Amino acid sequence: MSLIVQKFGGTSVANPERIQNVAKRVSRNFEEGHDMVVILSAMAGVTDSLIGLASEMSESPDRRELDVLLATGEQTTAALLAMTLKSMNYPAMSLLGFQAEVVTDCSYCNARIVDIGATRIKELLDKRNIVVVAGFQGIDQGGNITTLGRGGSDTSAVAIAAALKADKCEIFTDVDGIYTADPNVCANARKLDSISCEEMLEMASVGAKVLHIRSVEFALKHNVPLYVRSSFNEKEGTMVMNGDHDMESPVVSGITYNKNEARITMKRVPDQPGIAANIFTSIAEAGINVDMIIQNTRAGGETDLTFTVPKADFKRALDLGKQVAEKIGAEKVLGDENIAKVSVTGIGMKSHSGVAAKMFSAMAAENINIIMISTSEIRISCVVEEKKAELAVRTLHTAFGLDKVEN
Ligand code: ADP
Ligand code: ASP
Ligand code: MG
């Protein structure tokens, strides 16, 4: 008998029939003798509609109250699953984040888990209950409800699995596992049997939303056996592996894209010490994360500075950029929301050269213009026009030999 944590995402609990299917799967595992803890997301689309409702009340809704509102999505599904299990005569109990002692810092809408008490979960498990926990939410030390950022219920699941020292954590979603690229964009994407935490972290950080990045960080830090599987079939899924990688790792194992960033360019910035510090300090003080930065030197002691920020922060960052530009005597500030970042990731890149050249050539052959470039040890990212993102993913997938072989 083992302790299993299972998380079901939005599409897996999108309607009463799917919640009943989740109840069947969970009860089957329970009948096999396992201790079961189930973490749920809100029904697909519910978090978006709650955000929409909030924006009808205020242009920038108070973030504390927004979290109180958003947490209701997961409260609904947790209650619905627990009552379904009870109606099937299984002992079940739903818990909200605070009841499961999911303690976070106080960054509303993007809180980080700092501790999980889980005494109540353990007591319920000892009494042989199926414990259903509302994902995505926690409580800060001041007793306020917080949420973990979009996609955060994966992190609730892995963190709870870590706190309980669960034998495994299974993330059930609407695809069969982790693929070489988003299978909804690239029909030739291949399902991976396993992926290293390191590669998954890199893919999640550049937009593969199949796992919330902090869930992979938890799995890595606490050695949680983590699997991604489909809630619509019994296939094995993908294991996210922690540990040594063999030297034969593919040079490129995945292609990812992300449309969540926007670009800001400051034209004719004086080329002097302290100018970049001035610009990026004011952006950082506003709590805005800058991702890529490039600086082009022009003749005449001036530079053009381009950087990317999350789309959600674009307007604020543009306003701040304009204020700073005036102060430092830059000519003008331009913004572009219609960009996408396309990335190739792979541990094998550490010991191979020529990946960047191959990436750029493949994109050139499809007439895809590269606007910005950034690299890490195991990733290369390019900013391209938003409308070219999907074409770029498919092109690179083929260029790096990742397409599945039809048999
Ligand atoms: P859930 O609601 O279950 O949490 P998400 O929508 O957050 O589901 O994540 C699953 C989605 O992630 C898939 O439907 C797929 O479109 C997308 N995705 C992006 N990159 C990948 C990838 N490399 N492998 C699998 N899915 C991916
Ligand atoms: N319901 C939340 C969201 O839509 C959390 C999650 O699904 O993981 O972002
Ligand atoms: Mg998700």
Side-chain angles (χ1 to χ4, degrees):
M1 189 184 89
S2 52
L3 168 54
I4 305 178
V5 173
Q6 294 184 333
K7 176 256 166 176
F8 293 87
T11 35
S12 309
V13 292
N15 56 45
E17 197 193 331
R18 291 195 182 164
I19 293 178
Q20 275 157 355
N21 285 340
V22 169
K24 281 184 205 145
R25 187 187 282 266
V26 169
S27 60
R28 211 171 54 231
N29 288 297
F30 180 76
E31 294 275 7
E32 286 161 8
H34 303 297
D35 282 335
M36 299 300 299
V37 178
V38 185
I39 319 296
L40 295 183
S41 288
M43 290 176 170
V46 164
T47 309
D48 287 334
S49 341
L50 291 171
I51 292 172
L53 259 181
S55 63
E56 281 183 41
M57 300 298 137
S58 155
E59 225 175 72
S60 80
D62 180 88
R63 290 162 84 82
R64 179 190 184 278
E65 304 313 327
L66 187 56
D67 273 355
V68 174
L69 179 69
L70 296 189
T72 62
E74 275 70 11
Q75 172 161 358
T76 305
T77 46
L80 289 173
L81 178 66
M83 69 178 69
T84 310
L85 286 163
K86 282 176 173 168
S87 72
M88 293 159 70
N89 289 323
Y90 289 100
M93 183 85 80
S94 66
L95 296 177
L96 299 182
F98 80 91
Q99 294 170 313
E101 299 155 79
V102 178
V103 181
T104 72
D105 65 15
C106 50
S107 337
Y108 297 120
C109 303
N110 198 22
R112 297 181 83 91
I113 295 176
V114 292
D115 185 38
I116 293 192
T119 40
R120 187 111 179 245
I121 301 183
K122 286 179 193 157
E123 279 167 20
L124 287 167
L125 286 174
D126 285 345
K127 294 188 188 133
R128 197 70 190 125
N129 278 281
I130 300 173
V131 187
V132 181
V133 184
F136 181 52
Q137 53 179 268
I139 187 163
D140 71 7
Q141 265 131 356
N144 304 295
I145 291 173
T146 53
T147 64
L148 309 181
R150 298 307 305 269
S153 48
D154 298 332
T155 298
S156 310
V158 183
I160 288 172
L164 295 172
K165 300 195 169 44
D167 295 285
K168 67 174 163 178
C169 178
E170 295 178 308
I171 305 289
F172 286 92
T173 184
D174 55 3
V175 289
D176 289 351
I178 300 167
Y179 283 69
T180 47
D182 185 340
N184 291 316
V185 165
C186 181
N188 288 324
R190 268 189 297 117
K191 200 209 86 188
L192 300 165
D193 293 333
S194 65
I195 185 169
S196 69
C197 277
E198 198 180 355
E199 276 171 314
M200 191 59 229
L201 266 182
E202 201 77 28
M203 277 173 72
S205 77
V206 286
K209 69 168 181 165
V210 63
L211 281 178
H212 192 235
I213 184 162
R214 291 211 293 274
S215 69
V216 192
E217 286 167 2
F218 264 101
L220 187 62
K221 189 162 166 204
H222 299 278
N223 247 316
V224 179
L226 178 61
Y227 299 82
V228 176
R229 303 179 54 181
S230 168
S231 63
F232 303 121
N233 62 46
E234 299 297 322
K235 292 183 189 161
E236 284 238 323
T238 303
M239 180 171 51
V240 183
M241 285 194 318
N242 196 350
D244 289 341
H245 328 288
D246 61 62
M247 295 306 289
E248 296 303 313
S249 303
V251 177
V252 168
S253 54
I255 315 289
T256 308
Y257 77 104
N258 163 4
K259 295 186 175 179
N260 299 332
E261 288 181 27
R263 174 171 66 119
I264 294 178
T265 301
M266 294 180 94
K267 290 274 189 195
R268 293 180 175 268
V269 178
D271 194 5
Q272 289 159 12
I275 291 286
N278 207 326
I279 296 168
F280 292 111
T281 303
S282 73
I283 302 268
E285 277 169 358
I288 299 172
N289 286 328
V290 172
D291 178 21
M292 294 162 107
I293 303 176
I294 53 168
Q295 178 173 300
N296 311 92
T297 308
R298 306 167 69 112
E302 289 171 332
T303 66
D304 290 342
L305 195 71
T306 302
F307 55 94
T308 62
V309 294
K311 255 183 200 160
D313 296 324
F314 175 63
K315 292 215 164 60
R316 277 194 313 140
L318 195 61
D319 287 344
L320 280 170
K322 286 180 179 162
Q323 284 168 26
V324 179
E326 209 170 315
K327 207 166 71 188
I328 62 178
E331 186 194 64
K332 59 180 169 188
V333 182
L334 306 170
D336 183 2
E337 284 188 276
N338 301 317
I339 59 162
K341 185 166 76 176
V342 182
S343 308
V344 303
T345 315
I347 284 194
M349 257 187 233
K350 282 183 184 175
S351 52
H352 279 79
S353 55
V355 178
K358 191 167 186 173
M359 180 177 188
F360 305 156
S361 307
M363 299 225 279
E366 287 296 333
N367 213 10
I368 301 167
N369 188 38
I370 299 170
I371 304 169
M372 298 172 82
I373 301 166
S374 80
T375 60
S376 84
E377 206 181 11
I378 64 166
R379 170 183 55 76
I380 304 172
S381 301
C382 293
V383 170
V384 300
E385 269 183 282
E386 186 171 16
K387 61 177 189 235
K388 296 278 176 81
E390 287 83 0
L391 172 65
V393 169
R394 291 191 284 266
T395 301
L396 294 170
H397 200 267
T398 305
F400 284 100
L402 296 174
D403 286 355
K404 67 180 168 207
V405 188
E406 300 295 345
N407 40 27

